[in-house]
Amino acid sequence: MADPQSNAAVSAHPLSRAIPDGAPRPGVIHIRHRHTERFTVVGNHLAQHEKLSAAAIGLAVYIQSLPDGVSVTAKALALRFREGEKTVRRALNELECAGYLARPRLPVGGGKFATRTPSPSRHPHPSAPPPLPSPAAPPPICLLGFGASIPG
């Protein structure tokens, strides 16, 4: 009984053994891995955006990881994620109001329109004027404290 014993369970998670000596006790500890293929670089301006919801940030990261030409409509994204179409639409609207996404409707002829979705990988410059709305679509209504105001 001279041996010190603890009744605390030992963590079986492999990452718990990777914590370096001298690391801070509370909070996150980053274990770095250099990716050499199939990765996307995301700026902290997006990942740590103070006014965007977690759903909007997650969708923005996902959209930036996709190759050009992939459909990113609310319906297509709702099929990919478990969030419903309403949540996806709300997140896309947040991204549009914050300048991370544009969804102009462009005429393709014969009375038909296509929606192109440019998604900048850099933060939109704060002094840049907002993009002009397409004549076929009204400007987005932003209720998030940034971007355009409610017309009226």
Side-chain angles (χ1 to χ4, degrees):
M1 295 238 158
D3 294 332
Q5 295 183 359
S6 172
N7 61 355
V10 176
S11 175
H13 197 283
L15 289 180
S16 65
R17 293 186 292 273
I19 297 174
D21 292 334
R25 289 178 121 350
V28 67
I29 298 170
H30 295 284
I31 300 171
R32 311 263 185 225
H33 173 76
R34 179 168 293 282
H35 296 277
T36 57
E37 58 183 305
R38 297 186 46 80
F39 67 95
T40 300
V41 176
V42 177
N44 286 342
H45 57 83
L46 173 61
Q48 299 172 4
H49 200 289
E50 293 180 2
K51 294 183 180 175
L52 291 176
S53 67
I57 292 169
L59 275 182
V61 169
Y62 176 72
I63 289 169
Q64 287 184 12
S65 75
L66 295 173
D68 288 348
V70 173
S71 176
V72 290
T73 64
K75 286 183 185 296
L77 291 168
L79 289 173
R80 164 61 179 85
F81 295 103
R82 71 177 119 185
E83 285 75 13
E85 193 174 327
K86 206 179 261 190
T87 300
V88 170
R89 284 186 193 284
R90 191 173 298 129
L92 290 173
N93 289 337
E94 283 183 58
L95 293 171
E96 191 170 8
C97 289
Y100 284 99
L101 196 66
R103 295 182 287 178
R105 292 183 61 202
L106 307 171
V108 293
K112 296 183 179 182
F113 291 86
T115 302
R116 305 299 297 163
T117 309
S119 173
S121 58
R122 295 182 332 143
H123 189 306
H125 194 278
S127 64
L132 295 173
S134 166
I141 296 175
C142 298
L143 303 174
L144 305 169
F146 51 81
S149 60
I150 299 174

